[in-house]
Amino acid sequence: ESYLNPKYRFENFVKGDCNDLAHAAAKSVSETPGKSSFNPLVIYGGVGLGKTHLIQAIGNHARENNKAKFVMYVSSEKFTIEFVNAIQNNQAHEFSAFYRNVDLLIIDDIQFFERKEKTQEEIFHIFNTLHQANKQIVLSSDRPIKELKGIEERLLSRFQWGLTADLQLPDYETRRAILQRKLEENSATLDESIIDFIATNMTSNIRELEGCLVKLLATASLNAKSIDLPLAKNILRDSVRERSQTVTIEMVEKAVCEYFGISANDIKGKSRKKEIAFARQMAMYSAKKWTKSSFKTIGLHFGGRDHSTVIHAVNAIDKNADRSEEVRNTIEELHKRLEIMSL
Ligand code: ADP
Ligand code: MG
């Protein structure tokens, strides 16, 4: 019994800029466990970004391809509980012997070892035994090793002997790819506009992204009907509202400047050149739409203008958007960029 979940595989792990190094290192370790300098391999990243998936994929791959005989996956929590039980039952020795016999040891969420001194000592000895015997160790943590508190120095230093790679928040493209992937796995389809809506708005982590799909697909199957965008928005309204609150006026300024290739001084200044005036109005419009700032605050931010100027800008862009697809696309593109910035 290795406690691996066979559903976590490299085959269904979507690659992207956010997980490039971690993925490559994981693959390499799973091919030649214990034989590279990636020992230990430490994968860190926030909640729901794929740590468990990736480190279990290492175990599954190594086991299925006979790269390691005895693969063991354990969460730090479980390890700690079993260790404490072993001590109470006078089986500490058996416990140690068991783990020192593993060829590929995968420990998930090592931040749980913080302030567990006894357990840390046990890990220390297991680590030394395995490392010396060229057995592979893979660890995951919710933050960089240096930021772990209450873990012995000698253990922290060992955790950094090998390679540390992080999992970052996926960008828009990767979020889309993951959604497509999960839909395929479920033999389901969703309208393109819904996929875009989710990929644009569900930015905090991959588990949440999956959660959206699960909700939509469950609703579709329970009601035996297909889902259109308004219904999808309604079903997902709580998660979406949370996301759009984190856009700030500074982000709007940055996004607009980048998009139009102009400077903040241009936006805040007095120029009446057409492109700049348009960008300025777009900035005010975006700020009104996606931040919680008042007309007054927005006017002040963008060059100390009056609140009526902002109202005028919002109305002007609204009217333009009705008439022009180009304007609608610009709004949408800015919105996308703001969502990514507000991760
Ligand atoms: P963590 O352990 O970092 O909290 P998990 O590994 O549990 O995150 O991932 C959360 C969910 O997201 C899982 O269902 C996992 O399969 C999925 N997931 C994470 N990263 C990816 C990815 N790159 N491709 C496909 N699915 C992913
Ligand atoms: Mg996990």
Side-chain angles (χ1 to χ4, degrees):
E1 179 65 281
S2 67
Y3 299 103
L4 285 165
N5 182 336
K7 81 173 188 188
Y8 293 126
R9 324 191 57 79
F10 285 122
E11 292 82 358
N12 58 12
F13 188 85
V14 174
K15 283 178 281 178
D17 288 344
C18 55
N19 58 35
D20 235 1
L21 174 65
H23 175 267
K27 269 233 117 135
S28 160
V29 158
S30 74
E31 278 293 321
T32 54
K35 300 203 173 56
S36 71
S37 54
F38 306 159
N39 201 13
L41 173 64
V42 180
I43 305 290
Y44 74 87
V47 164
L49 293 185
K51 301 182 293 295
T52 298
H53 187 138
L54 196 55
I55 63 178
Q56 290 219 26
I58 297 174
N60 281 317
H61 183 90
R63 204 157 75 133
E64 288 162 17
N65 296 281
N66 296 317
K67 306 291 183 183
K69 235 188 251 151
F70 183 8
V71 179
M72 184 67 195
Y73 166 86
V74 67
S75 69
S76 312
E77 195 168 3
K78 187 156 189 269
F79 182 95
T80 304
I81 292 169
E82 289 184 351
F83 176 59
V84 171
N85 283 341
I87 294 177
Q88 282 169 359
N89 300 326
N90 279 325
Q91 289 179 333
H93 183 74
E94 285 80 353
F95 182 90
S96 292
F98 175 87
Y99 277 99
R100 288 174 204 215
N101 200 23
V102 172
D103 297 301
L104 166 52
L105 176 61
I106 305 168
I107 308 184
D108 209 350
D109 288 319
I110 56 167
Q111 72 277 0
F112 192 80
F113 288 141
E114 287 181 328
R115 287 174 294 279
K116 311 247 175 7
E117 285 150 35
K118 273 275 177 208
T119 311
Q120 286 179 34
E121 192 175 333
E122 182 64 23
I123 288 283
F124 176 76
H125 294 300
I126 291 170
F127 186 104
N128 288 344
T129 305
L130 294 184
H131 199 273
Q132 248 166 26
N134 290 325
K135 307 296 189 187
Q136 180 70 45
I137 301 156
V138 175
L139 308 169
S140 85
S141 165
D142 72 350
R143 63 209 103 112
I145 298 298
K146 283 194 189 68
E147 290 176 20
L148 293 172
K149 302 269 177 329
I151 291 198
E152 289 179 65
E153 204 47 55
R154 58 181 188 169
L155 209 45
L156 289 183
S157 103
R158 276 166 179 73
F159 289 167
Q160 297 174 87
W161 276 357
L163 180 78
T164 301
D166 67 333
L167 293 173
Q168 293 173 1
L169 284 163
D171 53 31
Y172 174 79
E173 295 303 332
T174 310
R175 295 200 294 269
R176 279 192 68 104
I178 290 171
L179 289 169
Q180 300 279 14
R181 183 76 208 213
K182 306 278 169 193
L183 281 171
E184 275 166 36
E185 281 170 20
N186 287 288
S187 314
T189 52
L190 277 179
D191 192 80
E192 181 59 28
S193 64
I194 300 179
I195 296 174
D196 176 66
F197 172 74
I198 302 176
T200 303
N201 293 291
M202 304 297 148
T203 50
S204 58
N205 73 55
I206 297 171
R207 189 172 296 139
E208 199 176 276
L209 200 64
E210 272 185 352
C212 292
L213 273 194
V214 170
K215 254 193 205 170
L216 293 183
L217 297 181
T219 310
S221 87
L222 287 175
N223 301 331
K225 68 174 172 190
S226 68
I227 292 190
D228 59 7
L229 184 59
L231 178 56
K233 283 188 178 174
N234 190 33
I235 293 169
L236 302 174
R237 63 190 177 278
D238 292 337
S239 342
V240 178
R241 201 162 41 218
E242 261 168 43
R243 293 301 319 151
S244 3
Q245 288 178 353
T246 51
V247 175
T248 64
I249 203 161
E250 287 77 18
M251 289 180 200
V252 170
E253 179 186 307
K254 186 158 182 279
V256 169
C257 287
E258 280 172 10
Y259 181 83
F260 290 98
I262 59 177
S263 73
N265 284 339
D266 287 335
I267 292 196
K268 293 179 174 175
K270 300 260 180 286
S271 167
R272 289 172 181 246
K273 262 170 72 182
K274 209 172 149 207
E275 306 86 61
I276 291 178
F278 179 66
R280 188 181 295 133
Q281 288 194 328
M282 199 53 105
M284 294 178 176
Y285 173 87
S286 303
K288 189 59 211 164
K289 190 140 187 195
W290 294 305
T291 75
K292 288 162 126 190
S293 316
S294 64
F295 288 121
K296 192 170 166 208
T297 308
I298 296 169
L300 277 177
H301 183 91
F302 292 113
R305 292 177 155 82
D306 196 60
H307 80 282
S308 61
T309 310
V310 183
I311 294 174
H312 174 75
V314 172
N315 289 337
I317 296 291
D318 259 336
K319 239 186 237 158
N320 268 329
D322 283 342
R323 285 196 301 260
S324 151
E325 186 175 356
E326 203 183 300
V327 173
R328 284 197 295 277
N329 288 341
T330 302
I331 293 173
E332 197 170 317
E333 178 60 30
L334 281 172
H335 188 200
K336 255 181 217 166
R337 291 181 184 211
L338 287 168
E339 288 291 348
I340 291 170
M341 282 169 128
S342 67
L343 288 179

